[in-house]
Amino acid sequence: MPEPMPPEPHLSGGGRVPEDGAIAATGMGGAMDLATAEGETLEGTPAGPDGTGPTDRPRSLWSDAWRDLRRNPVFMLSGLVILFLVFVSLWPSVIASGSPLKCDLAKAQEGSQQGAPFGYDGQGCNVYTRTVYGARTSVTVGVLATLGVALFGSVLGGLAGFFGGVWDSVLSRITDIFFAIPVVLGGLVLLSVVTSNTVWPVIGFMVLLGWPQISRIARGSVITAKQNDYVQAARALGASNSRMLLRHIAPNAVAPVIVVATIALGTYIALEATLSYLGVGLKPPTVSWGIDISAASPYIRNAPHALLWPSGALALTVLAFIMLGDAVRDALDPKLR
């Protein structure tokens, strides 16, 4: 005769005693899966959606931006083009033999041939050699002008945004005056009296008329950063103005300046070519894309290659820097994450 089954013990809340740790009563009469809870406890806190666990070091804005940039094909493509341009600017003789100033009128306007894949211009100069050496001048002007504009504008705008008051009001009125000056017209007026054949007058002109834009960006970024809690805490602890600016505000306000400066670099290269084309920028015997485009314009019907190659190099360079700036802006903008 089979033995009767013993009665199942009950808890005061109405639930059953867990068998094999499967179900347990809760204080409100419900039930909880102990196996699932135990598994989650043993495994620890699950990783977040980005794969970070509780023991991972927190990532900064710059590390996140670099991770996003490495995955952005636009950044990789534009970066490769810019690296190639930098290489060509530093060592043009590696890929172009001969001197860009050596010309032979007997070969004027001739097309592509051995030793001159881009043909010859109206003066009998090798278009390929001049296009390669012209990258040095254009990139040098663009980089130095951007550095000068970024440093000068960031310092003035950052100080105005941090201290405010009369200094901020005076700087705002000065920037309004500079914004009212047309860039090309200003170049025609200011550079027409310069007789130097170096790049420094052009760079100085770009810095003179380009700093107000960076200044406005830096001012607004500093005003936003100085209102954060960590800056107020540093001020309450007695931190000096220089320490707050250099250690707390500048690292968190520099991202918009970097984005605008990167995009502006391509603009300055195009501006140098425009001023050189108009005859007030760089002057011969300096080798520049703008000078070559200006010299080849009268022969566009008979020798279009002399115009197309330096124009294409200029367009590709400007496009590469603009694409790089767009990629950096997307990576540094938290709203796009």
Side-chain angles (χ1 to χ4, degrees):
M1 182 175 181
E3 297 181 358
M5 296 294 293
E8 297 182 356
H10 292 268
L11 298 175
S12 59
R16 297 179 178 179
V17 174
E19 297 178 2
D20 298 332
I23 302 296
T26 62
M28 299 301 294
M32 178 179 66
D33 191 345
L34 289 183
T36 304
E38 182 180 2
E40 292 180 353
T41 304
L42 293 177
E43 293 175 1
T45 304
D50 55 355
T52 59
T55 60
D56 293 341
R57 296 179 59 184
R59 295 195 305 266
S60 64
L61 172 65
W62 302 105
S63 61
D64 284 344
W66 175 240
R67 183 192 60 181
D68 294 342
L69 287 175
R70 287 181 299 176
R71 299 175 180 178
N72 191 341
V74 174
F75 171 79
M76 300 302 296
L77 179 60
S78 59
L80 291 176
V81 174
I82 292 173
L83 287 177
F84 176 75
L85 289 171
V86 172
F87 174 80
V88 171
S89 302
L90 295 176
W91 301 284
S93 59
V94 175
I95 62 174
S97 60
S99 172
L101 302 178
K102 183 179 179 181
C103 305
D104 186 1
L105 285 175
K107 298 181 179 181
Q109 301 183 15
E110 291 186 2
S112 176
Q113 55 188 270
Q114 185 178 2
F118 294 172
Y120 293 89
D121 61 9
Q123 301 297 322
C125 302
N126 192 324
V127 177
Y128 172 76
T129 303
R130 291 188 63 87
T131 302
V132 171
Y133 276 85
R136 169 183 290 180
T137 304
S138 298
V139 172
T140 300
V141 171
V143 170
L144 293 181
T146 302
L147 290 177
V149 167
L151 291 176
F152 189 63
S154 297
V155 171
L156 292 181
L159 293 177
F162 181 78
F163 291 105
V166 178
W167 171 258
D168 187 17
S169 300
V170 171
L171 184 65
S172 297
R173 301 293 77 78
I174 294 177
T175 55
D176 291 339
I177 295 174
F178 277 92
F179 274 128
I181 301 176
V183 177
V184 177
L185 180 59
L188 291 173
V189 174
L190 296 178
L191 295 178
S192 60
V193 298
V194 177
T195 58
S196 175
N197 292 331
T198 64
V199 299
W200 298 111
V202 179
I203 294 175
F205 164 75
M206 292 181 181
V207 174
L208 179 64
L209 293 187
W211 69 267
Q213 181 186 16
I214 298 292
S215 177
R216 286 284 178 90
I217 299 296
R219 173 183 174 273
S221 184
V222 168
I223 290 176
T224 302
K226 76 175 184 179
Q227 298 174 354
N228 292 327
D229 293 338
Y230 57 84
V231 177
Q232 301 300 327
R235 188 189 302 274
L237 292 175
S240 62
N241 291 333
S242 60
R243 180 178 179 85
M244 285 189 294
L245 274 171
L246 298 177
R247 295 292 301 273
H248 301 290
I249 295 180
N252 297 281
V254 72
V257 175
I258 293 177
V259 173
V260 175
T262 305
I263 298 177
L265 201 157
T267 304
Y268 293 139
I269 293 177
L271 178 60
E272 178 272 320
T274 302
L275 295 175
S276 299
Y277 178 84
L278 296 175
V280 296
L282 302 179
K283 301 175 179 62
T286 304
V287 181
S288 168
W289 290 334
I291 295 176
D292 291 348
I293 294 172
S294 177
S297 297
Y299 311 103
I300 188 172
R301 293 180 179 272
N302 300 326
H305 58 273
L307 176 66
L308 295 179
W309 287 111
S311 301
L314 174 63
L316 180 63
T317 302
V318 174
L319 179 62
F321 280 105
I322 292 177
M323 291 171 58
L324 180 68
D326 289 341
V328 173
R329 179 198 59 194
D330 296 341
L332 292 179
D333 191 354
K335 298 179 181 179
L336 300 178
R337 297 186 182 278

